[in-house]
Amino acid sequence: MVDPHPVGFRFRPTDEEIFNPYLKSKNMDGNTSHVDEVISTVDIYSFDPSELASQSSWTRKETDNVLYFFCPKENRYNRGERQSRKTKSGSWKKTGVTTNIMRKRGDCEKIGEKRVFVFQYSKIFGGTKLKSDWVMHEYVATFVSPTQVTFGCS
């Protein structure tokens, strides 16, 4: 069996590279087979964090501590855009502020947002939920149409 990950190769895209070519291609292109080879599409809320490594298409499971997934956006409630981020044994809770991701070259427009989540187990110990070491960085594309205002880089 041939190792699909050549020796010395490491997949670590920057925040900007997550959006273009990967997330932009996934949202706008018809043929995404080139993207699907690198990043799996998985409903991550159907799995606990410890089960996600087996769902990844691009990790050396014995060495990588970073996994990449596309997750279809589903509004889990009947009204509004709010999502439920619950799994079988806990939930993902947002921590910190949402960070704008700006294009570094050219027009420096806003291309997306990054949110950070921490996994908390449902069981309550001493009146508080038990936090885990699992952290998720969620990237949301905000592709700007030509008629909208763009933001400058600082």
Side-chain angles (χ1 to χ4, degrees):
M1 185 167 117
V2 177
D3 186 3
H5 313 292
V7 174
F9 183 80
R10 200 169 141 182
F11 182 72
R12 292 284 191 263
T14 64
D15 287 347
E16 184 177 0
E17 289 168 339
I18 291 285
F19 289 98
N20 192 17
Y22 300 109
L23 192 55
K24 186 173 185 180
S25 295
K26 194 70 173 174
N27 282 331
M28 302 180 116
D29 289 348
N31 180 8
T32 61
S33 60
H34 63 288
V35 176
D36 296 333
E37 289 178 15
V38 181
I39 303 175
S40 303
T41 300
V42 175
D43 181 3
I44 60 172
Y45 306 115
S46 297
F47 300 94
D48 284 332
S50 59
E51 300 170 323
L52 285 172
S54 65
Q55 303 299 313
S56 177
S57 63
W58 187 265
T59 57
R60 293 178 188 253
K61 290 156 181 72
E62 63 277 356
T63 59
D64 281 354
N65 290 324
V66 177
L67 305 171
Y68 295 91
F69 297 100
F70 288 113
C71 181
K73 184 178 178 182
E74 284 184 35
N75 294 332
R76 309 272 177 162
Y77 299 105
N78 290 336
R79 57 193 157 151
E81 294 288 317
R82 214 174 121 200
Q83 293 183 298
S84 172
R85 292 182 170 87
K86 292 182 181 181
T87 69
K88 293 178 275 186
S89 67
S91 61
W92 292 96
K93 297 292 181 185
K94 186 174 184 267
T95 181
V97 297
T98 300
T99 305
N100 290 331
I101 306 298
M102 310 297 281
R103 188 179 319 281
K104 300 281 190 250
R105 296 183 183 157
D107 55 9
C108 300
E109 69 181 340
K110 178 180 173 181
I111 57 175
E113 297 175 342
K114 177 180 175 179
R115 299 177 183 110
V116 179
F117 295 85
V118 175
F119 189 75
Q120 291 183 338
Y121 290 98
S122 296
K123 295 180 181 177
I124 297 178
F125 296 96
T128 60
K129 287 188 177 180
L130 181 64
K131 289 184 182 180
S132 71
D133 293 334
W134 294 97
V135 176
M136 173 176 58
H137 296 239
E138 178 183 81
Y139 294 87
V140 179
T142 56
F143 301 116
V144 179
S145 72
T147 58
Q148 291 180 308
V149 177
T150 59
F151 299 91
C153 293
S154 56

